[in-house]
Amino acid sequence: MKKTPELVKEHAEQFIFFFFLATSLFLGDGKQPFVDAWWALGILMLYGVRYYQRGKLDLRPLPRFVGWLWTALILYYVILIPFSDSAGYSVTATVRLIEAYLVYVMFVTIASERTVVLFTKGLLFVGVVATLASFVFLLVPSWANFLPPMNLLYAIYGHNHLADLLLFMFPIAIAQQSWLLVTLFTVGMIFTYARGAWLLLIGYLLFLAWRSKSVVARRVGLLVASATVAAFLLISLGLTPIQKPSLIADGRWEYWRQAIEAIKERPFFGSGPGTFYLESKRLQARPSSYSWFAHSFPFEVIVETGIVGLFILTLLLSVVLSYTIKKIITQKHNNVPATPLFWGAALVFMYG
């Protein structure tokens, strides 16, 4: 068993990543300029530490087609900047895409079975920190005053973004049979009041109960699904202190209408990376009915980068997915347990 200092030194990239990920929970929802600067520093540290330890970066090359698609997507973003409705927003969106690429390259480089184990533990740690912090802000709302108005942990606009994280965590916690974490995440998920995430979670748990060979996993899955269904019904019937509009009256319908109108105007190349906010304000049907987000990842991508951008991104995700599935199949043939990270990523993707 390696000592903590040795473990940190050997896997410094992951410890740096999770430090920045955990601290980012308290910095906003990602739209704040400081978040961009914070992650730029984090990525510099990722690559700087690797270079310092090895005397060179020693990066593992991406599969050829994946590398080409990443390059095509980044170049496409750069080309769109001069034609964007806001060059400033598009530059920011392009920088974030490049940061995502650099993080992806780093994790491809350090990927191993040991990396997956540590990454899983790191995700669970972040999930626990986020859930407990959301409980604190729920019980003592005044403590949330230091958070940006748009943030990840305090339910100012009806529900918080903790649901995004917890969808990723549930398959991991259940696979590890960590019932304490499952209980914590269940309570945390209920208090997000995110009905879309609830529905996805219920579907996953029922699927798990159907296919799992573990009697305990089946029972826990059905129990969590039942609790989530009960919360959904209570919210829908207006029997809780938190009042949310019905699914029919939800504001997302307006954002989707705005997205469709914007797509009709510029279907092929969009309005520019990062500019949905401007289209939403321009096309809002009534005052204050605009949003930074389309609340639909495909709609937002098409509005900002057009059908061409959606095609490149979809092709990239499809190729990466095919490599991931092949890896999982290989792990099964070698008697290595397939990682639940895949199911967590799938849930998050569907939630998008």
Side-chain angles (χ1 to χ4, degrees), residues 96 203 238 242 253 258 281 349:
R96 289 174 178 169
I242 299 294
W253 293 102
Q258 295 164 3
K281 288 197 74 172
F349 183 77

Side-chain angles (χ1 to χ4, degrees), residues 2-222:
K2 293 184 179 180
K3 296 181 180 179
T4 301
E6 295 176 354
L7 194 65
V8 172
K9 182 178 180 180
E10 183 177 347
H11 301 278
E13 297 92 348
Q14 285 207 68
F15 282 92
I16 292 171
F17 173 81
F18 281 110
F19 169 76
F20 279 86
L21 184 62
T23 51
S24 295
L25 294 171
F26 303 92
L27 301 180
D29 67 342
K31 285 292 186 180
Q32 295 73 17
F34 182 74
V35 176
D36 296 317
W38 185 240
W39 271 100
L41 174 63
I43 292 169
L44 285 173
M45 289 184 64
L46 278 176
Y47 281 81
V49 166
R50 184 171 182 83
Y51 185 83
Y52 175 77
Q53 290 183 341
R54 294 170 174 263
K56 56 182 180 179
L57 289 178
D58 192 25
L59 299 175
R60 184 181 298 173
L62 298 179
R64 182 175 299 178
F65 197 30
V66 173
W68 287 349
L69 289 172
W70 265 112
T71 302
L73 187 62
I74 293 172
L75 286 177
Y76 181 65
Y77 268 55
V78 172
I79 292 170
L80 288 180
I81 291 175
F83 308 98
S84 170
D85 286 0
S86 171
Y89 285 161
S90 292
V91 167
T92 299
T94 304
V95 169
R96 289 174 178 169
L97 180 65
I98 294 172
E99 289 179 340
Y101 168 76
L102 292 173
V103 172
Y104 179 80
V105 169
M106 180 57 68
F107 274 94
V108 167
T109 298
I110 66 176
S112 67
E113 291 176 17
R114 180 62 176 160
T115 302
V116 170
V117 173
L118 288 175
F119 186 80
T120 300
K121 292 180 178 179
L123 276 179
L124 291 176
F125 170 76
V126 171
V128 170
V129 170
T131 304
L132 293 178
S134 72
F135 290 163
V136 171
F137 296 136
L138 181 67
L139 296 173
V140 191
S142 61
W143 288 14
N145 290 336
F146 77 91
L147 295 174
M150 291 290 286
N151 63 80
L152 299 177
L153 302 175
Y154 184 55
I156 295 177
Y157 294 98
H159 68 271
N160 56 38
H161 290 275
L162 179 62
D164 306 350
L165 291 172
L166 292 185
L167 277 176
F168 211 148
M169 309 302 169
F170 263 102
I172 301 170
I174 293 174
Q176 296 192 357
Q177 297 189 8
S178 179
W179 308 130
L180 178 61
L181 289 182
V182 170
T183 302
L184 177 68
F185 293 161
T186 300
V187 177
M189 179 64 85
I190 289 174
F191 279 102
T192 64
Y193 302 104
R195 291 169 294 185
W198 290 355
L199 292 175
L200 273 175
L201 179 61
I202 291 168
Y204 169 74
L205 293 171
L206 293 177
F207 170 74
L208 186 67
W210 170 66
R211 70 182 293 272
S212 176
K213 296 180 181 179
S214 169
V215 176
V216 177
R218 287 182 180 179
R219 290 177 178 175
V220 170
L222 290 174

